[in-house]
């Protein structure tokens, strides 16, 4: 059963879950992050009486998420997890970059206790917002015995921080767990997991992330019909130390970009291939001219490469 005695800390970063619109039926023209997370918690009677704390860290539209907020969030979550009375942390977030924040935390935050991110597709002012149930499910998960690591509660499903991807821009079932599928579901206040909480091997750079302003610049470029090598050259000229190419199919890259990638590699820039396909990643071979990012999505591969470059500095 749930650990109802322990304290859960809810950290708000903004997003549609905290969004408000001038008209209740406006599901797109709203302001994300307008409400503090304290207001979201106060508006949810099911949380009343629970040992909870709510802290607003940011009120961002997550499409504007930045590295400084990631660093502050990671530090803030770590500080809360270190408190003995805290059983775990919930992070409210926007859906647009939820998968990126989940992956960043998964790779850089030691989480022996659960850290559950959640979000919503409909603003808090909608006639039928999805945020309250998602928030409730996230708190339920955090309180569940055995929970650990970075996970996401959304739409009744539970996803591992490594697997999440946003697959729809408007529907409330906007997420998918890729080839791995969801970790489980939350049914009427009870989690049912299909597999164990995932292990979370920390990236070696997690010990010394340093100032976010000094993190290596890594950009993403998509390969497509008519792709131009000059676009990749421009990223290098603008200071990119790493580039992830979101390739076609199994990570194939337009020959114009391949030539530019070879020029970039010659200048000391690391280039990796991911796939612009929603599922499957890239099945690479050791002899490939451009190394593959494996199962990582382009946005995950960007974070991983940034961390790799950071680790290589030491
Ligand atoms: N643009 C919003 C955000 O990511 C979308 C959402 O939360 O659903 O903050």
């Amino acid at each position: 059963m749930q650990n109802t005695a322990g304290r859960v800390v809810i950290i708000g970063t903004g997003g549609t879950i905290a969004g408000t619109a001038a008209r209740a039926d406006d599901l797109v023209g709203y302001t994300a992050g307008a409400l503090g997370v304290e207001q979201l918690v106060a508006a949810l009677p099911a949380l009343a009486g629970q040992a909870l704390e709510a802290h607003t860290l940011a009120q961002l539209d997550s499409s504007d998420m930045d590295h400084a907020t990631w660093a502050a969030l990671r530090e803030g979550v770590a500080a809360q997890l270190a408190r003995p009375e805290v059983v775990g942390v919930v992070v409210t977030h926007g859906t647009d970059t939820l998968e990126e924040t989940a992956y960043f935390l998964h790779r850089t935050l030691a989480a022996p206790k659960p850290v559950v991110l959640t979000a919503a597709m409909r603003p808090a002012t909608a006639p039928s917002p999805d945020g309250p149930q998602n928030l409730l499910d996230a708190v339920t998960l955090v309180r569940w015995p055995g929970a650990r690591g970075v996970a996401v509660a959304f739409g009744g499903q539970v996803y591992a921080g490594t697997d999440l991807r946003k697959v729809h821009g408007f529907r409330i079932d906007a997420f998918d767990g890729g080839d791995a599928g969801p970790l489980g579901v939350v049914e009427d206040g009870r989690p049912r997991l299909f597999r164990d909480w995932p292990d979370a091997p920390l990236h070696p750079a997690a010990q010394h992330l340093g100032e976010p302003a000094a993190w290596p610049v890594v950009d993403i470029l998509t390969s497509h019909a008519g792709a131009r090598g000059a676009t990749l050259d421009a990223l290098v000229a603008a200071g990119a130390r790493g580039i992830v190419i979101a390739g076609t199919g199994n990570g194939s890259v337009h020959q114009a970009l391949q030539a530019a990638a070879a020029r970039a590699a010659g200048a000391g820039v690391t280039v990796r291939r991911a796939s612009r396909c929603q599922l499957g990643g890239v099945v690479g071979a050791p002899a490939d001219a451009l190394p593959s990012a494996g199962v990582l999505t382009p946005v995950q591969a960007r974070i991983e490469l940034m961390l790799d470059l950071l680790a290589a500095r030491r």
Side-chain angles (χ1 to χ4, degrees):
M1 286 309 293
Q2 286 191 64
N3 177 349
T4 47
R7 182 162 292 265
V8 173
V9 178
I10 306 178
I11 299 179
T13 67
T16 297
I17 191 168
T20 58
R23 285 190 351 257
D25 62 346
D26 189 350
L27 300 183
V28 291
Y30 56 85
T31 305
L35 303 173
V37 72
E38 300 82 355
Q39 290 163 280
L40 303 185
V41 171
L44 191 47
L47 294 180
Q50 291 202 25
L52 286 175
E53 277 173 38
H55 304 292
T56 298
L57 175 89
Q59 290 183 263
L60 282 177
D61 184 315
S62 84
S63 54
D64 295 326
M65 185 50 68
D66 54 63
H67 294 168
T69 306
W70 273 358
L73 178 63
R74 174 179 174 272
E75 250 176 58
V77 173
Q80 297 299 344
L81 294 181
R83 294 169 59 196
E85 71 276 24
V86 170
V87 292
V89 172
V90 169
V91 177
T92 58
H93 198 283
T95 60
D96 285 348
T97 54
L98 184 62
E99 66 204 82
E100 296 179 54
T101 300
Y103 189 76
F104 172 75
L105 292 178
H106 169 78
R107 292 296 276 145
T108 64
L109 179 74
K113 300 175 186 175
V115 178
V116 180
L117 288 83
T118 195
M121 288 299 286
R122 293 180 180 158
T125 46
S128 173
D130 50 330
Q133 185 66 53
N134 289 345
L135 180 54
L136 189 59
D137 286 352
V139 173
T140 300
L141 271 173
V142 160
R143 291 194 181 286
W144 210 252
R148 62 185 158 82
V150 178
V152 175
F154 197 94
Q157 316 254 41
V158 187
Y159 301 97
T162 34
D163 302 331
L164 191 74
R165 54 205 71 201
K166 189 172 182 183
V167 293
H168 203 282
F170 184 74
R171 284 197 327 232
I172 57 168
D173 58 335
F175 287 92
D176 187 275
D179 287 334
L183 194 59
V185 289
V186 182
E187 297 166 328
D188 198 24
R190 288 185 69 86
R192 179 164 63 92
L193 292 197
F194 307 142
R195 51 187 200 277
D196 198 9
W197 295 91
D199 288 328
L202 286 187
H203 193 284
Q207 310 308 324
H208 46 79
L209 286 180
E211 281 305 309
W215 292 354
V217 176
V218 180
D219 291 312
I220 300 173
L221 185 61
T222 300
S223 188
H224 54 84
R228 297 182 308 136
T231 317
L232 197 148
D233 293 337
L235 292 178
V236 174
R241 301 308 304 151
I243 295 174
V244 172
I245 300 180
T248 40
N250 187 37
S252 48
V253 172
H254 193 290
Q255 57 184 5
L257 290 182
Q258 283 186 34
R263 286 194 291 278
V269 175
T270 307
V271 184
R272 290 186 187 158
R273 292 176 302 128
S275 174
R276 67 184 210 187
C277 296
Q278 281 287 337
L279 297 172
V282 175
V283 182
D288 290 346
L290 284 176
S292 105
V295 296
L296 301 181
T297 64
V299 292
Q300 291 175 333
R302 191 193 77 83
I303 296 166
E304 193 70 22
L305 179 50
M306 188 170 72
L307 295 172
D308 288 350
L309 294 175
L310 206 46
R313 277 184 185 166
R314 294 183 71 89

